Amino acid sequence: MTEPKALARSSLITATAFVVALSLRPALTAVGPVLPRLGLDLHLGEAAQGLLGTLPLLAFAVASPLVHLASRRIGMERTVFVSLLVLAVSSALRPYTGQAGLWIGTAVVGAAIAVGNVLVPVIIKRDYAAHVSRATGIYTAFITGGAAMASILAVPIADAVDWRLSLAVWGGLAVVVAVIWLPRTLSPEPMPPTTTTDGVPPVSVWRQPMAWLVTGFMGLQSTSFYLFVNWLPTIEISTGGISERATGVHLFVFQVFGLIGGLSIPLLLKHPTNQRAGLMTASVPILLALLGLLLAPQLAIVWAVVGGLGQGAGLVAALSLISLRGRGHHETTQLSGMAQAVGYTLAAAGPVVAGYLTQVTGGWSTTLGVFATLAAVQVVIGFAAGRDTRPA
């Protein structure tokens, strides 16, 4: 094979990391649009339906810290491949195995996706070391695209056949992605060094102050994101008198501008040691959007745009921070697991706490005030985490 052809083939294989991202959300986002049909067919009440939606996030939290153990035993590429096969099987079977299969399958789906959540950003750091933030932005764009695709197609597939096929079909996508990924598993991975990139012996990330700052940023960003995703339409209807149809449009706008924010923020994360500009740019809009919903709810479309830009940028910033602050592949894998375990625990609790506070207080003012305070804490943590003070 000539050198240009070999280089092109290598680049294509490397780019398969982005293809994996397509499969990391459809099994989750396809559920919401068909949840009423699912609940009616399987006799699940609203509380059980809400728990079903939260279960994958809890699986993320439990599985994420354990991913590095499998990664060290069989390698990152092979671990991702196995997780894709597990995702394919669990996605395809869970709609057809009754209530027990639905619950177990959803938990397994969440655990399989957690592997990709943790390892793909680490692989991107390794393969795109000179362009981590830009590559992370592309990765999150693929995640968003996969999520949107499943959301849009869920109801048409359910109308044409039934809700079961609407969920099961995404197992087929995972199979396709696994086949595309397979060439990466055929070559032995290089053995990673036992020390970090700065030559310092590895220390557990759970004992590193910087790791806790990164984790705090990831957790708070995830918490506000799932508040918006779960409650934005309800907040708008309750506080701003917005119509139900308009709130659906606003949520779509929120997601579109999230994509724009995610693709734009890498420009501000390029500095090798100081990412404060990017982290502030990602964090402040989230705070402004929450304060806007609290103080001027009639301008909901404005806050959907502002919040979407911040959330999209915030996810890329959080994932980039994990890659930039991890010193070596093992430490980055552990940091990714730690940040996502804590982050998704908070994300799972956030919508529940929001609903409880609103129910107890009889309105959204206290809830929005609490979450705006958390967003302000994210700004502070982002400022602290934005400059890595460890020696290069």
Side-chain angles (χ1 to χ4, degrees):
M1 186 179 294
T2 64
E3 185 173 342
K5 288 184 178 180
L7 181 60
R9 182 177 183 274
S10 176
S11 298
L12 284 174
I13 292 176
T14 300
T16 55
F18 302 126
V19 180
V20 172
L22 281 177
S23 66
L24 295 183
R25 291 299 179 270
L28 307 183
T29 58
V31 175
V34 300
L35 196 54
R37 306 184 197 203
L38 183 157
L40 184 63
D41 199 9
L42 296 181
H43 309 291
L44 296 180
E46 291 183 355
Q49 292 177 34
L51 180 59
L52 186 68
T54 304
L55 185 57
L57 301 181
L58 297 175
F60 289 175
V62 172
S64 293
L66 306 176
V67 172
H68 78 280
L69 298 177
S71 169
R72 294 186 71 166
R73 178 174 292 273
I74 65 173
M76 291 190 290
E77 265 82 0
R78 292 184 180 89
T79 303
V80 171
F81 180 73
V82 171
S83 75
L84 288 169
L85 297 181
V86 172
L87 176 60
V89 173
S90 56
S91 296
L93 291 182
R94 66 171 172 162
Y96 298 104
T97 49
Q99 277 202 33
L102 180 69
W103 289 102
I104 295 171
T106 298
V108 175
V109 162
I113 292 173
V115 174
N117 287 344
V118 171
L119 290 184
V120 176
V122 180
I123 292 170
I124 286 174
K125 174 184 178 176
R126 184 195 66 196
D127 293 348
Y128 296 94
H131 307 284
V132 170
S133 297
R134 184 187 305 171
T136 301
I138 297 172
Y139 163 71
T140 57
F142 272 74
I143 287 181
T144 303
M149 175 177 60
S151 297
I152 292 170
L153 294 178
V155 171
I157 294 173
D159 287 341
V161 185
D162 61 13
W163 66 265
R164 288 180 169 83
L165 182 64
S166 183
L167 299 186
V169 69
W170 303 109
L173 174 63
V175 171
V176 172
V177 173
V179 171
I180 294 172
W181 185 259
L182 182 61
R184 298 188 67 138
T185 69
L186 302 180
S187 301
E189 293 183 41
M191 290 297 293
T194 56
T195 59
T196 57
T197 53
D198 55 12
V200 177
V203 177
S204 170
V205 292
W206 296 90
R207 295 165 53 192
Q208 297 179 22
M210 177 58 72
W212 280 104
L213 290 174
V214 173
T215 296
F217 188 89
M218 178 75 183
L220 292 172
Q221 179 274 329
S222 300
T223 301
S224 58
F225 172 77
Y226 282 98
L227 173 76
F228 279 106
V229 168
N230 285 277
W231 289 114
L232 181 60
T234 305
I235 292 171
E236 291 185 353
I237 292 170
S238 177
T239 63
I242 311 296
S243 70
E244 184 177 359
R245 176 172 295 182
T247 61
V249 174
H250 293 178
L251 190 57
F252 175 75
V253 168
F254 173 82
Q255 294 172 328
V256 169
F257 277 87
L259 184 60
I260 294 172
L263 290 173
S264 303
I265 197 64
L267 295 173
L268 297 177
L269 296 170
K270 293 170 62 176
H271 194 280
T273 60
N274 191 333
Q275 290 80 40
R276 280 178 176 167
L279 297 182
M280 293 298 98
T281 301
S283 301
V284 170
I286 299 172
L287 174 60
L288 293 177
L290 290 166
L291 290 175
L293 288 171
L294 175 62
L295 302 175
Q298 68 277 10
L299 300 177
I301 184 62
V302 175
W303 311 129
V305 170
V306 173
L309 287 170
Q311 287 296 340
L315 177 58
V316 174
L319 294 176
S320 296
L321 202 59
I322 291 170
S323 295
L324 293 167
R325 294 295 177 265
R327 301 168 298 174
H329 297 321
H330 283 330
E331 183 173 283
T332 303
T333 304
Q334 292 178 31
L335 177 56
S336 183
M338 172 185 175
Q340 296 194 50
V342 176
Y344 285 117
T345 299
L346 292 173
V352 177
V353 171
Y356 175 77
L357 286 175
T358 303
Q359 181 177 337
V360 169
T361 61
W364 283 96
S365 296
T366 299
T367 302
L368 289 171
V370 168
F371 279 81
T373 302
L374 294 176
V377 174
Q378 179 185 328
V379 173
V380 175
I381 289 177
F383 185 82
R387 184 170 179 82
D388 188 357
T389 58
R390 295 175 301 188

